[in-house]
């Protein structure tokens, strides 16, 4: 997998995560004015591997 960082048509920074088969499996969902903020967003996703999994279908509504 790889992260790709790019500028959108509005000139804002965005990222996307591509699987090995080339499919986009995640993206920033928002544009960032500063490159550093986009890089920080990527780092947060990279660290999310430590996040616990919660199956919300087992939760009472």
């Amino acid at each position: 997998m790889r992260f790709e960082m790019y500028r959108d048509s509005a000139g804002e920074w965005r990222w996307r995560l591509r699987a090995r088969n080339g499919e986009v499996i995640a993206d920033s969902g928002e544009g960032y004015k500063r490159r550093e903020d986009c890089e920080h967003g990527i780092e947060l996703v990279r660290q999310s591997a430590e996040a616990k999994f919660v199956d919300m279908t087992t939760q009472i509504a």
Side-chain angles (χ1 to χ4, degrees), residues 1-19:
M1 291 195 300
R2 71 173 188 236
F3 283 95
E4 299 174 340
M5 191 168 53
Y6 63 97
R7 291 191 115 159
D8 64 17
S9 60
E12 293 186 326
W13 292 96
R14 292 181 175 264
W15 61 263
R16 61 184 160 232
L17 178 60
R18 286 196 187 266

Side-chain angles (χ1 to χ4, degrees), residues 2-3 8 11 18-19 26 30 32 35-36 38 41 43-44 47 51-52 58-59 61:
R2 71 173 188 236
F3 283 95
D8 64 17
R18 286 196 187 266
E30 66 176 306
Y32 298 92
R35 179 186 174 106
E36 295 81 11
C38 187
E43 191 56 34
L44 289 174
Q47 292 173 7
K52 72 178 189 174
T58 63
Q59 304 296 318

Side-chain angles (χ1 to χ4, degrees), residues 35-56:
R35 179 186 174 106
E36 295 81 11
D37 294 334
C38 187
E39 291 171 345
H40 179 69
I42 292 170
E43 191 56 34
L44 289 174
V45 174
R46 292 179 77 182
Q47 292 173 7
S48 70
E50 301 168 10
K52 72 178 189 174
F53 173 79
V54 177
D55 182 354
M56 296 304 289

